[in-house]
Amino acid sequence: VTGASFVVFNGALKTSSGFLAKSSIVEDGLMVQITPETMESLRQALRDKKDFKITCGKTDTGDIKEYVDICWVENEEKTNK
C-alpha cells in the first residue's frame, strides 16, 4: 500500500511496450502509465462512480504482483481542512 499526495494517469502507454500498465513514484505522488483503451475504461468507471483495478506488469509474465485500485468509499473523513 502506497500513500500519495496526487495521482497522474498517463494514457499514452503503447501496447507494443510489453506492459499491461506501469506505476512509479514521482516526488510525493504516483504516476500510472496505461494504454489508451484502459484510459477510456477508467474514465467510464469514474463517470459511473465504480471501482476500477489496474494490473501493472509485463504482459508475458504470469506472476503479476502490482495493482492500482481506485475505490469509491461511503465515509469521507475530512483529513485536509
Side-chain angles (χ1 to χ4, degrees):
V1 175
T2 301
S5 297
F6 64 90
V7 179
V8 174
F9 294 101
N10 179 342
L13 185 68
K14 304 274 187 233
T15 308
S16 61
S17 70
F19 285 91
L20 297 167
K22 292 167 53 174
S23 67
S24 55
I25 295 173
V26 179
E27 296 188 21
D28 61 341
L30 180 69
M31 180 170 68
V32 185
Q33 297 175 332
I34 56 179
T35 61
E37 296 82 17
T38 304
M39 178 64 89
E40 186 53 41
S41 298
L42 172 60
R43 286 181 179 152
Q44 189 60 51
L46 292 172
R47 280 189 217 98
D48 297 341
K49 295 185 178 180
K50 303 233 181 225
D51 293 350
F52 193 78
K53 180 183 249 182
I54 299 170
T55 305
C56 299
K58 292 194 170 225
T59 54
D60 59 357
T61 182
D63 58 336
I64 299 164
K65 298 179 181 160
E66 195 171 305
Y67 301 94
V68 176
D69 288 321
I70 297 105
C71 303
W72 291 88
V73 295
E74 293 292 325
N75 184 9
E76 278 190 43
E77 294 182 18
K78 299 192 188 244
T79 55
N80 294 331
K81 294 184 181 184

